[in-house]
Amino acid sequence: MTSKDEPSLIRLARANGENSPVEPLNLGARVRELRKARDWTLEQAANEAGLARSTLSKIENEQMSPTYELMKKLADGLGIGMPQLFTPPKKAQVNGRMDVTRSDDGSTHVTPTYEHELLNAGLTKKAMLPYRARIRARSFEEFDGWIRHDGEEFLYVLTGAVQLFTEFYEPVEMKRGDSAYYDASMGHNVVSTSAEDALILWVTSMT
């Protein structure tokens, strides 16, 4: 897939928030986190690892760089493999992120075939890209070939009726309340079949 195959709206969202610097691993903080996850005191963890309490304290406070042998003892004492000492902790799943988009207050991107309204653009690096689309196209021929991009996609018809074209399936007639979930790397296009432009909700995965 080339960048030309991917709708500009999705390219824009994928690029938003990219190239963020990778945070360096703080070994001392990682060791402390692993120790506290086991509800161990410094004394208990040092005993399990066969280290002096003062040595473990210095490691946790970044006052010394442990040798390979010390790190091996730490890993064994904590009951983990050595690579886990250097694996950054997973961020808490509950991080309080939220964004609200009021009706007709999304970011609009117009194409000859669709009129997209990007929702919740205030959040960067999202796992999903939600957007509302007014389907202007009335025939497959209005498209310059298939639309295809990475990820998976969910489509829900809000108003009107549409025909969903996909590369490997027969066209599907859909009306208000109907939905479809498909692999977005498969070519796909949507046209309105109702008198008025249909309105649909699209949710695209950002993986």
Side-chain angles (χ1 to χ4, degrees):
M1 186 196 73
T2 65
S3 60
K4 288 177 63 179
D5 297 317
E6 190 172 81
S8 59
L9 178 67
I10 296 173
R11 286 205 307 273
L12 177 68
R14 289 187 193 281
N16 194 6
E18 284 186 356
N19 302 318
S20 298
V22 178
E23 295 182 11
L25 175 68
N26 183 320
L27 180 61
R30 176 62 171 152
V31 171
R32 184 183 299 110
E33 180 203 45
L34 290 167
R35 172 176 66 79
K36 289 188 173 182
R38 289 157 178 75
D39 201 25
W40 288 352
T41 64
L42 268 172
E43 192 81 37
Q44 288 173 304
N47 288 338
E48 291 290 336
L51 300 175
R53 182 186 181 283
S54 59
T55 299
L56 181 56
S57 177
K58 287 178 181 178
I59 292 172
E60 288 194 1
N61 289 291
E62 297 288 322
Q63 294 173 352
M64 69 175 289
S65 297
T67 63
Y68 176 84
E69 289 302 322
L70 283 180
M71 289 189 293
K72 183 70 170 63
K73 286 184 176 182
L74 267 175
D76 290 344
L78 291 166
I80 61 175
M82 183 88 91
Q84 288 179 267
L85 279 177
F86 301 95
T87 303
K90 291 184 178 179
K91 292 184 178 178
Q93 294 300 304
V94 181
N95 54 22
R97 295 211 316 157
M98 188 176 100
D99 184 71
V100 174
T101 300
R102 299 297 181 187
S103 179
D104 299 320
D105 199 27
S107 176
T108 303
H109 298 264
V110 179
T111 74
T113 51
Y114 300 144
E115 183 177 323
H116 294 305
E117 183 187 6
L118 181 60
L119 307 173
N120 306 109
L123 291 181
T124 61
K125 303 187 76 171
K126 296 189 289 290
M128 300 179 293
L129 173 65
Y131 52 105
R132 192 162 38 221
R134 182 172 298 280
I135 311 302
R136 302 167 125 192
R138 286 297 194 279
S139 71
F140 182 87
E141 288 68 34
E142 293 182 48
F143 294 89
D144 184 18
W146 290 110
I147 293 174
R148 50 167 64 87
H149 49 86
D150 293 338
E152 298 180 326
E153 200 154 72
F154 172 76
L155 178 160
Y156 184 88
V157 183
L158 297 170
T159 64
V162 301
Q163 189 172 36
L164 170 63
F165 292 90
T166 53
E167 197 170 6
F168 306 127
Y169 297 87
E170 290 296 318
V172 179
E173 300 289 341
M174 302 177 67
K175 63 183 185 305
R176 179 180 177 181
D178 292 342
S179 63
Y181 189 105
Y182 49 88
D183 178 358
S185 64
M186 171 178 65
H188 56 280
N189 293 323
V190 179
V191 303
S192 283
T193 55
S194 49
E196 72 283 2
D197 290 346
L199 191 63
I200 67 175
L201 172 69
W202 253 317
V203 181
T204 302
S205 67
M206 299 297 288
T207 56

PDB file of all heavy atoms in Angstrom, residues 171-194:
ATOM      1  N   PRO A 171     -21.357  -6.417  -3.825  1.00  0.00           N
ATOM      2  CA  PRO A 171     -21.829  -5.176  -3.187  1.00  0.00           C
ATOM      3  C   PRO A 171     -22.959  -5.460  -2.212  1.00  0.00           C
ATOM      4  O   PRO A 171     -23.789  -6.345  -2.437  1.00  0.00           O
ATOM      5  CB  PRO A 171     -22.312  -4.331  -4.374  1.00  0.00           C
ATOM      6  CG  PRO A 171     -21.538  -4.855  -5.539  1.00  0.00           C
ATOM      7  CD  PRO A 171     -21.385  -6.326  -5.300  1.00  0.00           C
ATOM      8  N   VAL A 172     -22.991  -4.713  -1.103  1.00  0.00           N
ATOM      9  CA  VAL A 172     -23.995  -4.918  -0.058  1.00  0.00           C
ATOM     10  C   VAL A 172     -24.847  -3.667   0.082  1.00  0.00           C
ATOM     11  O   VAL A 172     -24.325  -2.555   0.230  1.00  0.00           O
ATOM     12  CB  VAL A 172     -23.318  -5.229   1.305  1.00  0.00           C
ATOM     13  CG1 VAL A 172     -24.369  -5.422   2.389  1.00  0.00           C
ATOM     14  CG2 VAL A 172     -22.424  -6.453   1.196  1.00  0.00           C
ATOM     15  N   GLU A 173     -26.169  -3.846   0.023  1.00  0.00           N
ATOM     16  CA  GLU A 173     -27.105  -2.740   0.251  1.00  0.00           C
ATOM     17  C   GLU A 173     -27.298  -2.576   1.760  1.00  0.00           C
ATOM     18  O   GLU A 173     -27.558  -3.544   2.470  1.00  0.00           O
ATOM     19  CB  GLU A 173     -28.454  -3.037  -0.409  1.00  0.00           C
ATOM     20  CG  GLU A 173     -28.394  -3.238  -1.917  1.00  0.00           C
ATOM     21  CD  GLU A 173     -28.126  -1.939  -2.674  1.00  0.00           C
ATOM     22  OE1 GLU A 173     -28.338  -0.849  -2.077  1.00  0.00           O
ATOM     23  OE2 GLU A 173     -27.728  -2.019  -3.842  1.00  0.00           O
ATOM     24  N   MET A 174     -27.167  -1.345   2.250  1.00  0.00           N
ATOM     25  CA  MET A 174     -27.278  -1.089   3.677  1.00  0.00           C
ATOM     26  C   MET A 174     -28.174   0.121   3.915  1.00  0.00           C
ATOM     27  O   MET A 174     -28.130   1.101   3.159  1.00  0.00           O
ATOM     28  CB  MET A 174     -25.890  -0.849   4.292  1.00  0.00           C
ATOM     29  CG  MET A 174     -24.920  -2.004   4.082  1.00  0.00           C
ATOM     30  SD  MET A 174     -23.269  -1.648   4.749  1.00  0.00           S
ATOM     31  CE  MET A 174     -23.618  -1.583   6.505  1.00  0.00           C
ATOM     32  N   LYS A 175     -28.974   0.041   4.972  1.00  0.00           N
ATOM     33  CA  LYS A 175     -29.868   1.149   5.326  1.00  0.00           C
ATOM     34  C   LYS A 175     -29.590   1.569   6.770  1.00  0.00           C
ATOM     35  O   LYS A 175     -28.754   0.983   7.450  1.00  0.00           O
ATOM     36  CB  LYS A 175     -31.323   0.734   5.145  1.00  0.00           C
ATOM     37  CG  LYS A 175     -31.775  -0.395   6.036  1.00  0.00           C
ATOM     38  CD  LYS A 175     -33.212  -0.776   5.734  1.00  0.00           C
ATOM     39  CE  LYS A 175     -33.730  -1.826   6.711  1.00  0.00           C
ATOM     40  NZ  LYS A 175     -32.914  -3.026   6.804  1.00  0.00           N
ATOM     41  N   ARG A 176     -30.324   2.571   7.222  1.00  0.00           N
ATOM     42  CA  ARG A 176     -30.159   3.108   8.577  1.00  0.00           C
ATOM     43  C   ARG A 176     -30.176   1.974   9.619  1.00  0.00           C
ATOM     44  O   ARG A 176     -31.048   1.120   9.614  1.00  0.00           O
ATOM     45  CB  ARG A 176     -31.289   4.082   8.876  1.00  0.00           C
ATOM     46  CG  ARG A 176     -31.229   4.678  10.272  1.00  0.00           C
ATOM     47  CD  ARG A 176     -32.377   5.629  10.497  1.00  0.00           C
ATOM     48  NE  ARG A 176     -32.365   6.156  11.859  1.00  0.00           N
ATOM     49  CZ  ARG A 176     -33.261   7.003  12.343  1.00  0.00           C
ATOM     50  NH1 ARG A 176     -34.246   7.425  11.566  1.00  0.00           N
ATOM     51  NH2 ARG A 176     -33.172   7.433  13.579  1.00  0.00           N
ATOM     52  N   GLY A 177     -29.153   1.982  10.484  1.00  0.00           N
ATOM     53  CA  GLY A 177     -29.055   0.972  11.533  1.00  0.00           C
ATOM     54  C   GLY A 177     -28.198  -0.226  11.156  1.00  0.00           C
ATOM     55  O   GLY A 177     -27.811  -1.003  12.028  1.00  0.00           O
ATOM     56  N   ASP A 178     -27.892  -0.399   9.860  1.00  0.00           N
ATOM     57  CA  ASP A 178     -27.031  -1.505   9.441  1.00  0.00           C
ATOM     58  C   ASP A 178     -25.569  -1.155   9.703  1.00  0.00           C
ATOM     59  O   ASP A 178     -25.177   0.021   9.709  1.00  0.00           O
ATOM     60  CB  ASP A 178     -27.210  -1.801   7.947  1.00  0.00           C
ATOM     61  CG  ASP A 178     -28.582  -2.373   7.620  1.00  0.00           C
ATOM     62  OD1 ASP A 178     -29.248  -2.854   8.561  1.00  0.00           O
ATOM     63  OD2 ASP A 178     -28.974  -2.343   6.442  1.00  0.00           O
ATOM     64  N   SER A 179     -24.758  -2.188   9.909  1.00  0.00           N
ATOM     65  CA  SER A 179     -23.331  -1.953  10.168  1.00  0.00           C
ATOM     66  C   SER A 179     -22.494  -3.015   9.466  1.00  0.00           C
ATOM     67  O   SER A 179     -22.989  -4.094   9.113  1.00  0.00           O
ATOM     68  CB  SER A 179     -23.047  -1.961  11.672  1.00  0.00           C
ATOM     69  OG  SER A 179     -23.326  -3.231  12.236  1.00  0.00           O
ATOM     70  N   ALA A 180     -21.219  -2.708   9.294  1.00  0.00           N
ATOM     71  CA  ALA A 180     -20.275  -3.647   8.685  1.00  0.00           C
ATOM     72  C   ALA A 180     -18.917  -3.459   9.341  1.00  0.00           C
ATOM     73  O   ALA A 180     -18.560  -2.356   9.784  1.00  0.00           O
ATOM     74  CB  ALA A 180     -20.164  -3.403   7.174  1.00  0.00           C
ATOM     75  N   TYR A 181     -18.160  -4.554   9.425  1.00  0.00           N
ATOM     76  CA  TYR A 181     -16.813  -4.532   9.987  1.00  0.00           C
ATOM     77  C   TYR A 181     -15.938  -5.293   8.998  1.00  0.00           C
ATOM     78  O   TYR A 181     -16.260  -6.420   8.626  1.00  0.00           O
ATOM     79  CB  TYR A 181     -16.821  -5.219  11.354  1.00  0.00           C
ATOM     80  CG  TYR A 181     -15.538  -5.081  12.147  1.00  0.00           C
ATOM     81  CD1 TYR A 181     -15.463  -4.219  13.230  1.00  0.00           C
ATOM     82  CD2 TYR A 181     -14.403  -5.827  11.824  1.00  0.00           C
ATOM     83  CE1 TYR A 181     -14.296  -4.089  13.964  1.00  0.00           C
ATOM     84  CE2 TYR A 181     -13.240  -5.697  12.553  1.00  0.00           C
ATOM     85  CZ  TYR A 181     -13.182  -4.829  13.624  1.00  0.00           C
ATOM     86  OH  TYR A 181     -12.019  -4.700  14.341  1.00  0.00           O
ATOM     87  N   TYR A 182     -14.824  -4.684   8.574  1.00  0.00           N
ATOM     88  CA  TYR A 182     -14.038  -5.318   7.517  1.00  0.00           C
ATOM     89  C   TYR A 182     -12.558  -4.926   7.612  1.00  0.00           C
ATOM     90  O   TYR A 182     -12.185  -3.956   8.275  1.00  0.00           O
ATOM     91  CB  TYR A 182     -14.593  -4.947   6.137  1.00  0.00           C
ATOM     92  CG  TYR A 182     -14.820  -3.461   5.948  1.00  0.00           C
ATOM     93  CD1 TYR A 182     -13.816  -2.623   5.481  1.00  0.00           C
ATOM     94  CD2 TYR A 182     -16.061  -2.888   6.260  1.00  0.00           C
ATOM     95  CE1 TYR A 182     -14.025  -1.267   5.325  1.00  0.00           C
ATOM     96  CE2 TYR A 182     -16.277  -1.531   6.103  1.00  0.00           C
ATOM     97  CZ  TYR A 182     -15.258  -0.724   5.631  1.00  0.00           C
ATOM     98  OH  TYR A 182     -15.462   0.617   5.492  1.00  0.00           O
ATOM     99  N   ASP A 183     -11.766  -5.710   6.934  1.00  0.00           N
ATOM    100  CA  ASP A 183     -10.332  -5.456   6.817  1.00  0.00           C
ATOM    101  C   ASP A 183     -10.151  -4.286   5.853  1.00  0.00           C
ATOM    102  O   ASP A 183     -10.499  -4.382   4.678  1.00  0.00           O
ATOM    103  CB  ASP A 183      -9.655  -6.721   6.285  1.00  0.00           C
ATOM    104  CG  ASP A 183      -8.166  -6.556   6.075  1.00  0.00           C
ATOM    105  OD1 ASP A 183      -7.637  -5.453   6.301  1.00  0.00           O
ATOM    106  OD2 ASP A 183      -7.523  -7.544   5.662  1.00  0.00           O
ATOM    107  N   ALA A 184      -9.584  -3.174   6.352  1.00  0.00           N
ATOM    108  CA  ALA A 184      -9.496  -1.968   5.533  1.00  0.00           C
ATOM    109  C   ALA A 184      -8.404  -2.034   4.474  1.00  0.00           C
ATOM    110  O   ALA A 184      -8.342  -1.166   3.593  1.00  0.00           O
ATOM    111  CB  ALA A 184      -9.281  -0.743   6.429  1.00  0.00           C
ATOM    112  N   SER A 185      -7.527  -3.058   4.543  1.00  0.00           N
ATOM    113  CA  SER A 185      -6.535  -3.206   3.486  1.00  0.00           C
ATOM    114  C   SER A 185      -7.174  -3.806   2.229  1.00  0.00           C
ATOM    115  O   SER A 185      -6.576  -3.797   1.150  1.00  0.00           O
ATOM    116  CB  SER A 185      -5.373  -4.093   3.954  1.00  0.00           C
ATOM    117  OG  SER A 185      -5.815  -5.412   4.215  1.00  0.00           O
ATOM    118  N   MET A 186      -8.387  -4.341   2.362  1.00  0.00           N
ATOM    119  CA  MET A 186      -9.184  -4.782   1.224  1.00  0.00           C
ATOM    120  C   MET A 186      -9.818  -3.545   0.595  1.00  0.00           C
ATOM    121  O   MET A 186     -10.350  -2.682   1.290  1.00  0.00           O
ATOM    122  CB  MET A 186     -10.274  -5.755   1.711  1.00  0.00           C
ATOM    123  CG  MET A 186     -11.306  -6.121   0.679  1.00  0.00           C
ATOM    124  SD  MET A 186     -12.536  -7.308   1.314  1.00  0.00           S
ATOM    125  CE  MET A 186     -13.344  -6.319   2.601  1.00  0.00           C
ATOM    126  N   GLY A 187      -9.738  -3.431  -0.721  1.00  0.00           N
ATOM    127  CA  GLY A 187     -10.322  -2.278  -1.387  1.00  0.00           C
ATOM    128  C   GLY A 187     -11.789  -2.103  -1.025  1.00  0.00           C
ATOM    129  O   GLY A 187     -12.536  -3.086  -0.962  1.00  0.00           O
ATOM    130  N   HIS A 188     -12.204  -0.869  -0.780  1.00  0.00           N
ATOM    131  CA  HIS A 188     -13.594  -0.612  -0.401  1.00  0.00           C
ATOM    132  C   HIS A 188     -14.006   0.803  -0.806  1.00  0.00           C
ATOM    133  O   HIS A 188     -13.190   1.724  -0.779  1.00  0.00           O
ATOM    134  CB  HIS A 188     -13.793  -0.798   1.114  1.00  0.00           C
ATOM    135  CG  HIS A 188     -12.882   0.045   1.955  1.00  0.00           C
ATOM    136  ND1 HIS A 188     -11.563  -0.295   2.222  1.00  0.00           N
ATOM    137  CD2 HIS A 188     -13.078   1.228   2.597  1.00  0.00           C
ATOM    138  CE1 HIS A 188     -11.002   0.618   2.985  1.00  0.00           C
ATOM    139  NE2 HIS A 188     -11.899   1.571   3.222  1.00  0.00           N
ATOM    140  N   ASN A 189     -15.259   0.941  -1.174  1.00  0.00           N
ATOM    141  CA  ASN A 189     -15.864   2.238  -1.497  1.00  0.00           C
ATOM    142  C   ASN A 189     -17.326   2.200  -1.078  1.00  0.00           C
ATOM    143  O   ASN A 189     -17.937   1.121  -1.046  1.00  0.00           O
ATOM    144  CB  ASN A 189     -15.790   2.536  -3.005  1.00  0.00           C
ATOM    145  CG  ASN A 189     -14.373   2.752  -3.497  1.00  0.00           C
ATOM    146  OD1 ASN A 189     -13.551   3.339  -2.800  1.00  0.00           O
ATOM    147  ND2 ASN A 189     -14.076   2.265  -4.695  1.00  0.00           N
ATOM    148  N   VAL A 190     -17.888   3.359  -0.781  1.00  0.00           N
ATOM    149  CA  VAL A 190     -19.291   3.450  -0.378  1.00  0.00           C
ATOM    150  C   VAL A 190     -19.976   4.525  -1.212  1.00  0.00           C
ATOM    151  O   VAL A 190     -19.431   5.618  -1.396  1.00  0.00           O
ATOM    152  CB  VAL A 190     -19.420   3.793   1.129  1.00  0.00           C
ATOM    153  CG1 VAL A 190     -20.880   3.913   1.523  1.00  0.00           C
ATOM    154  CG2 VAL A 190     -18.722   2.742   1.979  1.00  0.00           C
ATOM    155  N   VAL A 191     -21.187   4.214  -1.695  1.00  0.00           N
ATOM    156  CA  VAL A 191     -21.967   5.209  -2.442  1.00  0.00           C
ATOM    157  C   VAL A 191     -23.352   5.328  -1.820  1.00  0.00           C
ATOM    158  O   VAL A 191     -23.860   4.379  -1.218  1.00  0.00           O
ATOM    159  CB  VAL A 191     -22.096   4.831  -3.943  1.00  0.00           C
ATOM    160  CG1 VAL A 191     -20.722   4.663  -4.569  1.00  0.00           C
ATOM    161  CG2 VAL A 191     -22.934   3.570  -4.121  1.00  0.00           C
ATOM    162  N   SER A 192     -23.950   6.485  -1.952  1.00  0.00           N
ATOM    163  CA  SER A 192     -25.327   6.692  -1.485  1.00  0.00           C
ATOM    164  C   SER A 192     -26.301   6.142  -2.513  1.00  0.00           C
ATOM    165  O   SER A 192     -26.121   6.339  -3.723  1.00  0.00           O
ATOM    166  CB  SER A 192     -25.606   8.185  -1.268  1.00  0.00           C
ATOM    167  OG  SER A 192     -25.020   8.649  -0.070  1.00  0.00           O
ATOM    168  N   THR A 193     -27.332   5.459  -2.043  1.00  0.00           N
ATOM    169  CA  THR A 193     -28.394   4.980  -2.931  1.00  0.00           C
ATOM    170  C   THR A 193     -29.730   5.626  -2.587  1.00  0.00           C
ATOM    171  O   THR A 193     -30.725   5.409  -3.283  1.00  0.00           O
ATOM    172  CB  THR A 193     -28.526   3.442  -2.835  1.00  0.00           C
ATOM    173  OG1 THR A 193     -28.739   3.066  -1.467  1.00  0.00           O
ATOM    174  CG2 THR A 193     -27.270   2.757  -3.353  1.00  0.00           C
ATOM    175  N   SER A 194     -29.777   6.402  -1.527  1.00  0.00           N
ATOM    176  CA  SER A 194     -30.993   7.121  -1.146  1.00  0.00           C
ATOM    177  C   SER A 194     -31.040   8.459  -1.876  1.00  0.00           C
ATOM    178  O   SER A 194     -30.035   8.924  -2.427  1.00  0.00           O
ATOM    179  CB  SER A 194     -31.019   7.337   0.373  1.00  0.00           C
ATOM    180  OG  SER A 194     -29.795   7.868   0.831  1.00  0.00           O
TER     181      SER A 194
END
